[in-house]
Every structure is written in structure tokens, then in C-alpha cells.
Amino acid sequence: SERLKGKVAVVSAAAQGIGRATALRFAEEGCKVFAIDLNYEKLSELSTVQGITIRKVDVLNKEDIQNLLAEVDVIDILFNCVGYVHQGTILDCDEAVWDKSFDLNVKGAFLMNQAFLPKMIERKRGSIVNMASVVSSIMGAKARFAYGASKGAVIAMTKSLSVDYVECGIRVNSVCPGTVETPSWHDRVNEHQDPVQARVDFIKRQKMGRLGTSEEIANLVLFLASDESSYTTGQNFIADGGMSM
Ligand code: NAD
């Protein structure tokens, strides 16, 4: 244990789902974690966890990011986990939906990476993990038009960053979950006319016959964040219950 002993991490979307599970997993492994989210009330549930500092940060708000930056002296690990799933085809996608998808899935990670990279360059070390999805450049899924397009951009951004900063000792990788049971996944199920059928259909996409857990994704992020993956950069890692096999 203590696989992240002495390290400092920033984890976004940490109030619930995969981000929260990852913040907890990092803390368990001896990491000092800045857990950030828009939803401060939900985030507060982590306030008593040893090793975790909570901060209300909107990853699209530059002032919020600057305030966080001023507080985080050194950073070893940045996990950009914020994302938004629009359920719909191109014909369901107006410009507002397109912009929201690219803002939350791509621009948030762009702003956070841009803000924190100089601190990593200074110390010639760092591991960045960007949250993509198997529904991206890996595979198409029904009614995931803006989502898939924007998550594909996350994979491309990851590769681009990895090439530019490999000589600075910074590793950049992305992760692609399949369907993971999180609060927003439950919301997506309930958006359907027949939620019972929607649940069955979601599980059917997973060849393992079950949904993934946030902890299963957190374990992959932990590996990429830690020195165990020290020879790995510019890669995309899939944990999808066989969805894309
Ligand atoms: P979630 O969607 O349930 O929660 C997201 C969290 O992000 C919330 O706490 C929300 O308050 C926060 N957030 C939203 N906008 C924010 C902003 N501007 N600044 C800061 N925080 C903000 O969590 P999840 O389902 O675990 O998804 C996390 C990531 O994993 C997303 O990028 C998602 O696309 C990706 N992902 C999820 C699944 C899945 O099946 N759940 C599959 C593949 C990829």
C-alpha cells in the first residue's frame, strides 16, 4: 500500500462517481488530494477524510482555477474527470448541446492542463490522466453524437500533450470506461421513457453482463498516476467490461 506516498494530486469531478472513488483511492494510498467539484454540498461528504482537501472549483472558470493554483504549491498528479453525457443523435444536437459537450468534456481539461503544466515542468515530473470514454474514437454508440465526438478530442489532446512534454518528465494518458454505475448514469436511465428497459439495454452493451464500478476505474487511474506506470505515456487505457472488444 501507500503507492502514492508523498505525492500531491488534483482530482476534478470529485463529489461523486469515478472522480470521488479516485480521490478516496488516492488518499488511501498516502496521497495528499485536492478534491474539486462544482457541487460543494456533495463534496463536503469528503471533508473529514484524511488526506483530502475539498475546494469548490468550476473547471470552466479561470478565476476558480487561479485560486486553486495559488494554493497547490507542488503537483504530481492531475486527474481531469469532469464530463457530460448528452443522449442524442446529430439531429437532437443543437449548438447549445454541442458547446456544452465540448466545454465540459474538452475545454475544462484544456484549461486545467494549461494551468497546472508549468508547475509540473518546473519540477520535471508529473502524471496527467484525462477522462475519455470508450464511446469516442474507439467505438460509436447509439445516440452519443456530441459525447463521442468530444471524448475523441480528449484522446487526441492526450496524445498531443504527451508528445510536447515527454522531455519534461511529464506523462499524459487517458482512460476509457464502458458503462459505470454512477449517479449521473442513474439520471441517464431515468431520462428514458422506459427506465427498466433502458437499464437492461445498458447492461446488454457490457459483454461481461454487468455494469462497471467507480472503484474499478479508480484502480486504473491509480496505476497511471503512480510510478508503477513510469514508462507509459501518450496511451489510452480501456476498462469497459468488454464493450469494445
Ligand atoms: P458524474 O457524471 O455522476 O458526476 C460528475 C461530477 O462532475 C459531478 O459531481 C458534477 O458536480 C461535477 N461537475 C460538473 N461540471 C463541473 C465543472 N464545470 N467543474 C467542476 N465539476 C463539475 O460522474 P461519472 O459518471 O463518474 O463521470 C465522470 C467522468 O467519467 C465523466 O467525464 C464521464 O464522461 C466519464 N465516463 C463515465 C462513464 C459512466 O458510465 N459513468 C463512462 C465513460 C466515461
Side-chain angles (χ1 to χ4, degrees):
S1 74
E2 301 268 288
R3 290 157 70 189
L4 299 179
K5 199 175 175 180
K7 293 194 190 293
V8 178
V10 170
V11 175
S12 70
Q16 63 183 39
I18 298 164
R20 178 190 173 112
T22 305
L24 288 167
R25 194 75 187 80
F26 280 8
E28 242 173 56
E29 295 293 342
C31 191
K32 178 175 163 53
V33 182
F34 288 88
I36 66 169
D37 202 287
L38 259 186
N39 185 346
Y40 193 73
E41 202 186 320
K42 197 96 202 3
L43 195 59
S44 298
E45 293 169 11
L46 300 178
S47 64
T48 56
V49 179
Q50 170 132 32
I52 294 187
T53 302
I54 60 167
R55 288 292 175 265
K56 183 176 178 174
V57 175
D58 176 351
V59 297
L60 294 174
N61 182 315
K62 285 194 193 167
E63 203 181 309
D64 282 5
I65 295 175
Q66 285 308 314
N67 289 339
L68 179 67
L69 199 57
E71 225 189 317
V72 180
D73 292 338
V74 296
I75 179 169
D76 299 285
I77 298 156
L78 174 59
F79 177 34
N80 293 302
C81 186
V82 171
Y84 163 67
V85 183
H86 176 254
Q87 312 196 82
T89 65
I90 191 170
L91 298 181
D92 305 315
C93 181
D94 58 22
E95 272 186 67
V97 164
W98 176 268
D99 288 345
K100 182 175 176 183
S101 301
F102 274 78
D103 279 355
L104 286 170
N105 295 336
V106 190
K107 191 176 181 183
F110 154 60
L111 292 174
M112 288 290 289
N113 285 328
Q114 191 176 55
F116 282 95
L117 258 165
K119 280 192 193 285
M120 291 184 170
I121 294 167
E122 222 172 86
R123 295 171 68 223
K124 287 201 157 291
R125 60 185 291 172
S127 174
I128 295 173
V129 181
N130 293 318
M131 174 55 84
S133 167
V134 77
V135 177
S136 58
S137 51
I138 306 298
M139 69 180 287
K142 267 192 146 343
R144 288 291 181 277
F145 173 68
Y147 182 71
S150 58
K151 289 297 191 181
V154 173
I155 294 174
M157 173 166 61
T158 299
K159 291 194 177 285
S160 182
L161 285 170
S162 68
V163 170
D164 282 336
Y165 295 101
V166 65
E167 282 139 19
C168 298
I170 298 162
R171 302 185 296 108
V172 192
N173 295 288
S174 51
V175 293
C176 286
T179 312
V180 181
E181 188 164 10
T182 65
S184 75
W185 177 78
H186 281 282
D187 296 342
R188 282 193 290 290
V189 167
N190 291 324
E191 274 173 30
H192 284 263
Q193 265 179 352
D194 182 351
V196 175
Q197 186 59 43
R199 188 175 225 283
V200 170
D201 292 341
F202 268 116
I203 294 170
K204 218 188 284 167
R205 301 197 308 185
Q206 303 307 117
K207 305 277 177 18
M208 286 186 185
R210 66 170 178 87
L211 301 170
T213 67
S214 292
E215 288 72 24
E216 287 175 302
I217 308 306
N219 282 328
L220 174 59
V221 180
L222 169 62
F223 169 69
L224 294 171
S226 78
D227 294 336
E228 290 160 27
S229 59
S230 52
Y231 203 48
T232 300
T233 191
Q235 303 304 319
N236 184 48
F237 292 81
I238 297 172
D240 71 348
M243 187 174 171
S244 66
M245 70 186 180

